[in-house]
Amino acid sequence: MANEGSFEASQKRSDEIRADLTAHPEKYTMLTGDRPTGRLHLGHYFGTLKGRVELQNMGARTNVLIADYQVITDRDTTDQIQDNVYNMVMDYLACGIDPEKTMIYTHSAVPACNQLMLPFLSLVTEAELQRNPTVKAEMEASGHELTGLLLTYPVHQACDILFCKGNVVPVGRDQLPHIELTRTIARRFNNRYGQVFPEVDALLSDTPLLPGLDGRKMSKSYGNAISISMTAEETAKRIKKSQTDSERMITFDPENRPGVSGLISTAAICTGRNEVEIAEEIGMGGSGALKKYVTEAVNEYFAPIRERRAQYENDFDYVKDVLHEGNKRANEIANQTLAEVQEAMGMVY
Ligand code: TRP
């Protein structure tokens, strides 16, 4: 599916859309989302949240999904789900997602969206589902068996995207097979029953992936991520504990010095400065001076975001209202789309 050729084609489409977005934001409906498995971190913020806020403020229609049903694709519990969902709403609001402009909702609260799953499942073959490389990788990483839901969750993502007629989906390269499948489903539905769904394109991020503090992939389970919701003190503590190396002279060298370089990248993205310049400035200051600089950079950047977050923590009723309103709106849209689907399929009685 996502071979080199199709990656290049996706990149080209993504660049064209980016160029067109500023001129014609009204042509675009964005849908993207997160699984509520924990707090959002700096990787989410710089990798996608910031971009969502930009699209929102440009005037595109923006929809942000809290993909609660997707949590059980590879986990056996929903213990923390309510807490995670409300905290995710707070992270969004603190980062500048404006519920007046962006619909925030959970897909479990939108039955008509989930009902699209039935016709959509009929449009894909088992072989197509089985060869999705992202599903395979996720199954291996989770150590979980391939459940029916894990196998078919890319179809569920197509429901998420298509119920609101989303036509741009900001994703990383690893999610391209899912976008491809969504395109296939929309095309097959339209061919078989008549035109209902739009052509969907990926909006590929132009910022490089931010590594964790230790230079490895940023992940909650590695303890190398700074959450948006952390206090300045918790941030300082996490950075202090982060592994560097014994060489005093600070240089930016991700290959050979992952720990030092992960810290430098974090400072660079928060200050907008160049990595090599930061490394040279710290020089013989060693990892102590580097960690102090990174801590200040992160805490300074996130101070206003965290201040706003604290206000939402004290106004929990408002946070719930935002989600209830979003869910209400999502139901209206989903009911409308489902009615069109049933009409196209002749299931009108
Ligand atoms: N799979 C995404 C994640 O792992 C969440 C998600 C669910 C999503 N449905 C989507 C993203 C539709 C984009 C489009 O975080």
Side-chain angles (χ1 to χ4, degrees):
M1 259 190 243
N3 55 32
E4 264 321 297
S6 79
F7 172 68
E8 273 159 27
S10 303
Q11 183 70 61
K12 187 162 167 281
R13 268 302 288 154
S14 173
D15 292 343
E16 284 165 9
I17 291 169
R18 251 181 224 292
D20 192 44
L21 253 163
T22 28
H24 302 288
E26 73 287 347
K27 278 173 31 191
Y28 297 97
T29 299
M30 177 211 84
L31 179 288
T32 186
D34 307 283
R35 297 180 200 206
T37 53
R39 302 295 168 268
L40 295 174
H41 54 54
L42 263 59
H44 296 116
Y45 179 81
F46 289 108
T48 155
L49 291 169
K50 208 163 160 265
R52 294 177 196 176
V53 174
E54 282 161 15
L55 284 173
Q56 162 194 280
N57 294 339
M58 251 176 221
R61 278 175 301 277
T62 41
N63 305 291
V64 177
L65 155 69
I66 301 178
D68 52 356
Y69 263 141
Q70 230 179 64
V71 170
I72 53 169
T73 49
D74 64 0
R75 284 166 209 237
D76 297 328
T77 172
T78 52
D79 265 359
Q80 305 290 317
I81 199 110
Q82 193 187 49
D83 186 52
N84 286 345
V85 166
Y86 284 130
N87 270 286
M88 195 160 266
V89 176
M90 290 192 259
D91 280 337
Y92 289 159
L93 297 173
C95 291
I97 300 225
D98 174 357
E100 296 290 323
K101 298 181 179 145
T102 297
M103 180 170 89
I104 303 172
Y105 73 102
T106 47
H107 56 188
S108 70
V110 190
C113 166
N114 296 308
Q115 205 178 319
L116 296 176
M117 194 74 178
L118 284 169
F120 286 4
L121 278 171
S122 76
L123 297 167
V124 293
T125 65
E126 191 211 346
E128 281 170 324
L129 295 172
Q130 290 282 3
R131 64 169 175 259
N132 183 312
T134 307
V135 169
K136 271 190 209 156
E138 283 173 343
M139 183 190 73
E140 276 155 25
S142 73
H144 206 286
E145 277 177 299
L146 186 61
T147 62
L149 184 62
L150 184 52
L151 180 67
T152 56
Y153 96 83
V155 183
H156 196 228
Q157 271 195 207
C159 302
D160 294 332
I161 296 165
L162 294 173
F163 95 96
C164 64
K165 309 218 173 146
N167 59 358
V168 281
V169 185
V171 287
R173 188 177 175 161
D174 64 318
Q175 295 273 309
L176 280 176
H178 299 348
I179 304 299
E180 199 50 50
L181 186 72
T182 301
R183 293 165 65 87
T184 302
I185 289 173
R187 204 174 294 144
R188 288 182 187 160
F189 185 95
N190 293 343
N191 283 340
R192 196 174 288 188
Y193 301 110
Q195 180 70 35
V196 173
F197 294 112
E199 184 97 341
V200 181
D201 283 296
L203 200 55
L204 290 157
S205 173
D206 46 14
T207 44
L209 207 63
L210 179 65
L213 294 172
D214 57 2
R216 291 190 288 172
K217 180 177 157 42
M218 194 183 296
S219 161
K220 204 175 65 164
S221 53
Y222 289 160
N224 64 359
I226 298 168
S227 306
I228 295 163
S229 58
M230 279 181 179
T231 62
E233 293 71 39
E234 286 164 342
T235 303
K237 213 191 251 173
R238 174 136 303 185
I239 292 170
K240 203 165 172 204
K241 271 208 269 179
S242 168
Q243 201 74 39
T244 50
D245 55 46
S246 53
E247 200 172 322
R248 180 159 191 97
M249 179 73 181
I250 295 302
T251 51
F252 183 64
D253 180 357
E255 189 109 331
N256 300 308
R257 307 187 69 187
V260 165
S261 302
L263 287 168
I264 298 173
S265 294
T266 304
I269 204 158
C270 291
T271 54
R273 294 182 68 193
N274 172 283
E275 280 99 342
V276 175
E277 192 187 297
I278 293 174
E280 279 171 1
E281 187 177 283
I282 306 234
M284 287 305 283
S287 57
L290 174 61
K291 286 181 173 182
K292 185 164 174 287
Y293 183 74
V294 181
T295 304
E296 280 167 9
V298 174
N299 284 340
E300 193 173 308
Y301 188 97
F302 284 93
I305 292 175
R306 287 166 167 170
E307 209 170 292
R308 276 200 298 274
R309 201 182 190 285
Q311 287 166 13
Y312 295 119
E313 283 163 23
N314 289 320
D315 194 358
F316 197 48
D317 284 341
Y318 174 74
V319 174
K320 285 186 183 165
D321 274 354
V322 165
L323 189 57
H324 295 162
E325 273 306 308
N327 283 343
K328 198 170 135 221
R329 175 99 188 96
N331 272 292
E332 287 162 12
I333 295 172
N335 289 337
Q336 164 70 32
T337 302
L338 183 61
E340 286 172 43
V341 162
Q342 290 175 331
E343 169 89 39
M345 297 176 77
M347 292 176 170
V348 184
Y349 315 110

